[in-house]
């Protein structure tokens, strides 16, 4: 749960920065948000969640 909330916040910040700095149009941001919303309700959502959790555990295990 914490990972998904922080992931949403991180992606929101990235979209905001693209909007402010790189000229991302508001319509593009809305399309990205709608795509994510509908993708979360699709049959592939558990695979994406498992891949994200696997990537997070891999990055969490790195010793820098």
């Amino acid at each position: 749960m914490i990972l998904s909330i922080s992931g949403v916040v991180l992606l929101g910040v990235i979209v905001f920065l693209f909007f402010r700095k790189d000229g991302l149009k508001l319509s593009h941001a809305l399309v990205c948000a709608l795509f994510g919303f509908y993708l979360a309700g699709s049959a592939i959502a558990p695979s994406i969640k498992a891949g994200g959790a696997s990537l997070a555990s891999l990055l969490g295990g790195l010793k820098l």
Side-chain angles (χ1 to χ4, degrees), residues 15 24-39:
V15 168
L24 178 71
K25 292 181 175 53
L26 182 61
S27 61
H28 297 152
L30 289 175
V31 168
C32 289
L34 286 174
F35 176 70
F37 177 76
Y38 286 114
L39 187 63

Side-chain angles (χ1 to χ4, degrees), residues 40-64:
S42 70
I44 198 169
S47 298
I48 294 171
K49 187 174 182 179
S54 175
L55 181 64
S57 68
L58 176 75
L59 292 176
L62 292 177
K63 306 282 189 220
L64 297 176

Side-chain angles (χ1 to χ4, degrees), residues 1-16 36 40:
M1 179 74 147
I2 293 173
L3 178 64
S4 64
I5 291 173
S6 62
V8 168
V9 170
L10 176 64
L11 291 174
V13 168
I14 290 171
V15 168
F16 177 74

